[in-house]
Amino acid sequence: MTTLFDSLLLGGAVSLKNRIVMPPMTRTRTTEGALPTDGDLPNEMVATYYGQRTGAGLIISEATDVDQSSHGYARIPGIHSETQMQGWRRVTDEVHRRGGTIFMQLWHVGRLAHSSILPNGQAPVGVTGERAEGSEVFAHGPDGRLRFMAVDTPRALSTDEVSAMVGTFAQAARNAREVGFDGVELHAANGYLIEQFMNSVLNTRTDRYGGGSMEDRTRFLMEVVDAAVAEFGPGRVGVRLSPHGKYGSMPTDPLVEETFLYVVEQLARRGVAYIHLLYELLPEGNMETGVFKPRYLDHGLLAKARALFPGAFIWCGGFNDRERAQASLDTGLVDLIAFGRPYIANPDLVERLKNGWPLAVADRSAYYTRHGNLGYIDFPAYSTDSAECGVA
């Protein structure tokens, strides 16, 4: 029987020491660059944070902007400027020094943005000009202070701009490779730009990226995947998907399962290392105050996907103990389990799970705090000499 602590050769290219994944988690701990074109920068604290968590078989970085037009949330890092690349080099050096493996998650938020933090106050861009009603992002209010605000109305990308965006993702993947990442994950979930194209209800375009056919509405994702694989090679590119997800004001898509299986089949042909499945999230409130209720994907659908895809599957969503994670692994439907929130307060999560030690719980106010290392790198490893688990 495969256990959480068994090794795995991911994509035939990357050796993982166990089946436990630290998934992407936005933490808003970057430093603002000196110039607007610098963007928000990974700093020494960010390097320490990832370095503390290298017990994971695979670390996937927080979502990272591929260019300035993707800056949907304040204090989110990018990989499009030289100063950002320098910051990420410190992160990968620290992770590798401590024996870890790390992929970078690349995203473009599309319509989920506010003009106050975009270059020259420009409008967000999207698959169409339809606004994500009810969605909020962390941006500058009228008084200049950061707060959660309703997203702005987007401008629809032209056909040429969509094609150019593929090149933007390719450059971001190239930058990630140059600064030492072991691979990249493409964020095609949670209502961000790539998923906006895939949704048959939202995508009302009539060009070659339009929603009229399965091939057309998934074309953008496939072109981005091809570009990333060209940069990193087969076995070092993953894709995150969230079938049935509602986050980002995504409309219910009657073709979601058909689209999902088509995408899985196409990714299999392209040498993708893994598919990262995020259970459906039903958000109430914004990223900071909302309650997220995971609803698990139908095992029959996953079995169909498993038959189509020879790579690995990662399950993410609501895992907070060894027993449930192992039971999910025992289904044979997935290969790796991602623990999200438990990794915030437990930098030594793998050891705690392996030894049955209690898990610390981080106060929710620390998730996205703007107060430096508080609730970020101040969680201690478990000590058998003390019953204190370290709650911040």
Side-chain angles (χ1 to χ4, degrees):
M1 181 182 72
T2 299
T3 76
L4 290 168
F5 311 105
D6 289 339
S7 62
L8 174 71
L9 183 62
L10 182 65
V14 182
S15 296
L16 306 183
K17 55 193 172 187
N18 56 58
R19 306 298 181 100
I20 295 171
V21 177
M22 176 181 165
M25 290 185 286
T26 292
R27 303 300 308 279
T28 62
R29 296 311 207 283
T30 58
T31 300
E32 291 184 6
L35 300 173
T37 52
D38 287 340
D40 287 336
L41 314 175
N43 49 43
E44 291 291 348
M45 187 169 60
V46 174
T48 298
Y49 168 75
Y50 285 110
Q52 289 174 336
R53 289 156 176 80
T54 49
L58 174 64
I59 295 172
I60 307 171
S61 82
E62 60 210 272
T64 304
D65 293 333
V66 296
D67 74 354
Q68 288 179 291
S69 71
S70 176
H71 200 49
Y73 299 84
R75 309 214 176 196
I76 302 299
I79 187 64
H80 52 81
S81 74
E82 182 60 36
T83 47
Q84 288 170 341
M85 291 175 66
Q86 292 170 5
W88 281 120
R89 170 59 78 178
R90 288 194 292 269
V91 173
T92 60
D93 283 350
E94 179 63 11
V95 168
H96 292 150
R97 184 183 71 81
R98 299 184 63 164
T101 299
I102 185 167
F103 278 37
M104 169 174 276
Q105 189 187 69
L106 300 176
W107 76 344
H108 193 295
V109 299
R111 66 178 185 163
L112 296 181
H114 192 275
S115 61
S116 68
I117 59 171
L118 291 173
N120 303 312
Q122 68 188 39
V125 295
V127 62
T128 68
E130 184 176 340
R131 185 169 175 264
E133 298 290 347
S135 290
E136 296 181 328
V137 293
F138 187 55
H140 293 287
D143 59 0
R145 297 180 63 182
L146 290 170
R147 64 187 67 177
F148 279 92
M149 300 175 59
V151 299
D152 277 337
T153 300
R155 173 184 65 80
L157 289 163
S158 70
T159 303
D160 288 345
E161 286 177 316
V162 179
S163 296
M165 188 66 71
V166 175
T168 298
F169 270 90
Q171 182 63 57
R174 188 175 308 125
N175 292 347
R177 177 173 53 79
E178 289 180 0
V179 300
F181 279 90
D182 299 297
V184 291
E185 176 178 288
L186 303 173
H187 198 340
N190 298 125
Y192 297 115
L193 184 62
I194 295 176
E195 189 177 40
Q196 290 165 27
F197 277 89
M198 292 194 294
N199 187 286
S200 69
V201 176
L202 181 62
N203 185 350
T204 56
R205 300 171 68 98
T206 58
D207 63 0
R208 61 194 179 94
Y209 295 102
S213 73
M214 189 84 71
E215 181 180 4
D216 286 345
R217 71 172 176 273
T218 60
R219 187 185 306 279
F220 179 55
L221 170 60
M222 298 310 160
E223 289 183 355
V224 171
V225 169
D226 288 341
V229 171
E231 290 297 332
F232 266 96
R236 293 183 180 270
V237 175
V239 176
R240 194 178 215 199
L241 301 171
S242 56
H244 296 289
K246 303 298 183 187
Y247 191 83
S249 307
M250 292 297 286
T252 299
D253 185 352
L255 301 178
V256 61
E257 293 189 3
E258 180 183 350
T259 302
F260 171 61
L261 293 176
Y262 175 82
V263 166
V264 168
E265 184 178 22
Q266 292 299 311
L267 296 181
R269 297 178 180 180
R270 288 167 162 82
V272 166
Y274 68 81
I275 294 173
H276 188 173
L277 290 174
L278 182 66
Y279 295 133
E280 179 182 358
L281 293 178
L282 306 175
E284 300 173 1
N286 60 44
M287 182 177 68
E288 186 167 40
T289 63
V291 176
F292 294 86
K293 302 175 181 178
R295 192 181 81 180
Y296 304 113
L297 297 177
D298 178 73
H299 280 201
L301 179 62
L302 292 180
K304 291 178 182 178
R306 185 72 160 176
L308 294 170
F309 186 73
F313 281 92
I314 302 173
W315 272 12
C316 180
F319 289 105
N320 53 24
D321 61 69
R322 174 175 173 172
E323 290 71 26
R324 201 168 134 264
Q326 184 61 54
S328 296
L329 204 61
D330 290 345
T331 65
L333 296 173
V334 296
D335 306 276
L336 298 134
I337 303 295
F339 290 80
R341 293 176 184 177
Y343 254 118
I344 293 176
N346 300 277
D348 57 338
L349 180 64
V350 172
E351 289 304 309
R352 293 192 190 221
L353 294 174
K354 184 181 295 185
N355 293 288
W357 296 336
L359 302 186
V361 179
D363 188 280
R364 191 180 181 90
S365 65
Y367 288 4
Y368 310 108
T369 183
R370 275 69 70 190
H371 300 122
N373 66 1
L374 179 65
Y376 189 57
I377 59 172
D378 57 339
F379 292 103
Y382 182 76
S383 172
T384 57
D385 296 329
S386 173
E388 180 62 43
C389 297
V391 178

